[in-house]
Amino acid sequence: VDLKIEGLVDIYAITNEPRGREIDIVFAGTSLGEPKIEEENFSEYRYFSLDSLPEKIAYNHRGMIEKWGKNA
């Protein structure tokens, strides 16, 4: 999907990733079209509003999403 990048949310050092350390650079943006989901890579996917996020989200993604939501 094409995106309009609107700003940087934050940069995170992920140290609890089983495959090794990584850096997540999180941007805020707006979709300029419909996302293309490569279904062979996912068994299931859904969209959630900020107030209905699932309880279990990998690593610190909940914190990243909530930080973005406060600035959105």
Side-chain angles (χ1 to χ4, degrees):
V1 67
D2 291 326
L3 300 172
K4 176 184 176 191
I5 301 298
E6 296 170 345
L8 177 67
V9 174
D10 212 336
I11 300 172
Y12 299 87
I14 308 299
T15 58
N16 62 344
E17 164 62 53
R19 297 171 291 184
R21 295 176 184 223
E22 65 179 53
I23 295 174
D24 285 359
I25 303 171
V26 181
F27 293 94
T30 302
S31 172
L32 300 176
E34 286 295 315
K36 179 183 176 193
I37 304 297
E38 296 181 16
E39 294 182 22
E40 64 273 5
N41 293 325
F42 299 95
S43 61
E44 182 179 345
Y45 57 90
R46 298 183 211 163
Y47 294 96
F48 298 93
S49 64
L50 283 174
D51 59 353
S52 67
L53 293 174
E55 281 298 314
K56 288 188 170 186
I57 298 178
Y59 313 111
N60 189 31
H61 293 154
R62 175 181 295 283
M64 295 174 190
I65 293 166
E66 288 174 349
K67 183 171 185 176
W68 164 79
K70 289 178 185 175
N71 297 317

